[in-house]
Amino acid sequence: MFFHRQELQHKASPDRPDAVYARKLQEVLGGQYGEITVAMQYGFQSWNAHMPGKYRDLLFGIGAEEMGHVEMLATMIAQLLEKAPVGATEKAIQDDPTVAAVIGGTDLQHAIVAGAGARPVDSMGNPWSAGYITASGNLLADFTANANAEMQGRVQVARLYHMTDDAGVRDLLSFLLARDTMHQNQWVAAARELQEEGYEQLPVPSNFPQRKEATEVSYEYINFSDGKHAGEGSWASGPTPDGNGEFSYRETPEKGVPMPPPTRPDARFYGTTDLPNIVEKAAGTVQDKLKKD
């Protein structure tokens, strides 16, 4: 059950309207690493969790907080748009290049579609996609993805912080940066704890028998670049993080195996093959008559 309390976790009030910056903020609302993504990601991970207890509760708790962050950003965007000019006259645009640049930088759908409100889109107007979320059911894989989402989101918020001098906007961004700091650390800690408690290990999924993989290349760095320094890293020699092997380094790939010939699909896919067109046409006709799928 969800219950909405009409309060914000933190103040979200700009000092002045700014339609162009409202569009920029859409990225951390509805972009790939925006608040809608992490709210839904943690939600689906919690609903798909296969064990009760602290990890599931952690997902529920942070997911609910992130939904509140969606609300704060939507509120901020709406306020940035509230008293922004609806438009400018043609003469004003012609006389003042700055006005033209501002008008060109606004999201017209903020006005036309949303009536001076936020939308579930990124800064380019691309609709938010459920394809952004990761919810695999494997908690170590998911917690690692969550840490990445928080890192990417914090990078974007930090960039946005320097794109405005509005003290009210910066105050909200400062709060969001702090919560991203906390959540990064929480997901890293949760991933470590999962391993310490023996629920999941590297490589993920750790309950797949490693003997069934081609173990001769499991820990071999194969250099597919002409760069000279990759072999200097800890990923090219020494013990592996999963504790199951030792890294080795191969400077150049071994000779490959021959490429198989091109495929020749059913004639009714109408691809162009090496068979004469008349033969393909006849084959499709015969297959239809034979009711061959």
Side-chain angles (χ1 to χ4, degrees), residues 74-98:
T75 300
M76 176 63 81
I77 289 169
Q79 291 181 97
L80 285 166
L81 294 167
E82 183 180 14
K83 295 181 181 178
V86 174
T89 66
E90 183 178 352
K91 183 177 184 302
I93 293 176
Q94 291 173 345
D95 292 347
D96 189 344
T98 303

Side-chain angles (χ1 to χ4, degrees), residues 84-128:
V86 174
T89 66
E90 183 178 352
K91 183 177 184 302
I93 293 176
Q94 291 173 345
D95 292 347
D96 189 344
T98 303
V99 174
V102 170
I103 296 300
T106 60
D107 181 353
L108 297 181
Q109 291 198 344
H110 272 158
I112 299 168
V113 177
R119 302 180 60 239
V121 300
D122 66 15
S123 55
M124 298 304 293
N126 300 306
W128 180 82

Side-chain angles (χ1 to χ4, degrees), residues 43-272:
F44 274 94
Q45 288 177 9
S46 63
W47 302 323
N48 294 345
H50 305 302
M51 56 188 292
K54 60 185 177 182
Y55 297 114
R56 189 165 179 257
D57 288 354
L58 176 66
L59 286 162
F60 276 131
I62 302 182
E65 180 182 358
E66 299 292 10
M67 189 59 72
H69 295 176
V70 170
E71 186 168 52
M72 283 192 292
L73 279 169
T75 300
M76 176 63 81
I77 289 169
Q79 291 181 97
L80 285 166
L81 294 167
E82 183 180 14
K83 295 181 181 178
V86 174
T89 66
E90 183 178 352
K91 183 177 184 302
I93 293 176
Q94 291 173 345
D95 292 347
D96 189 344
T98 303
V99 174
V102 170
I103 296 300
T106 60
D107 181 353
L108 297 181
Q109 291 198 344
H110 272 158
I112 299 168
V113 177
R119 302 180 60 239
V121 300
D122 66 15
S123 55
M124 298 304 293
N126 300 306
W128 180 82
S129 171
Y132 296 154
I133 71 171
T134 299
S136 70
N138 184 294
L139 291 183
L140 184 52
D142 285 352
F143 290 171
T144 304
N146 295 352
N148 171 68
E150 296 286 352
M151 292 173 189
Q152 296 290 345
R154 192 171 189 275
V155 165
Q156 294 179 0
V157 174
R159 290 169 176 163
L160 281 164
Y161 186 92
H162 294 292
M163 294 181 186
T164 182
D165 58 3
D166 186 303
V169 175
R170 280 192 162 190
D171 179 63
L172 174 60
L173 297 183
S174 176
F175 178 80
L176 293 175
L177 285 163
R179 296 310 295 160
D180 285 346
T181 296
M182 176 58 175
H183 294 158
Q184 283 185 38
N185 280 279
Q186 282 183 292
W187 295 127
V188 171
R192 182 176 63 241
E193 200 161 318
L194 268 173
Q195 296 174 79
E196 291 172 350
E197 294 180 346
Y199 289 114
E200 190 67 54
Q201 304 293 332
L202 293 174
V204 175
S206 55
N207 53 359
F208 180 85
Q210 221 173 338
R211 67 180 183 277
K212 293 186 178 182
E213 66 184 64
T215 54
E216 64 273 16
V217 293
S218 292
Y219 301 111
E220 181 180 48
Y221 183 105
I222 305 172
N223 189 13
F224 282 88
S225 169
D226 61 1
K228 304 299 183 184
H229 303 290
E232 300 167 5
S234 60
W235 53 80
S237 64
T240 59
D242 63 14
N244 296 343
E246 291 278 327
F247 284 124
S248 63
Y249 178 74
R250 183 185 293 274
E251 187 171 358
T252 57
E254 289 185 309
K255 182 177 173 55
V257 298
M259 175 75 74
T263 57
R264 186 184 290 162
D266 188 302
R268 291 165 298 175
F269 282 118
Y270 304 111
T272 304

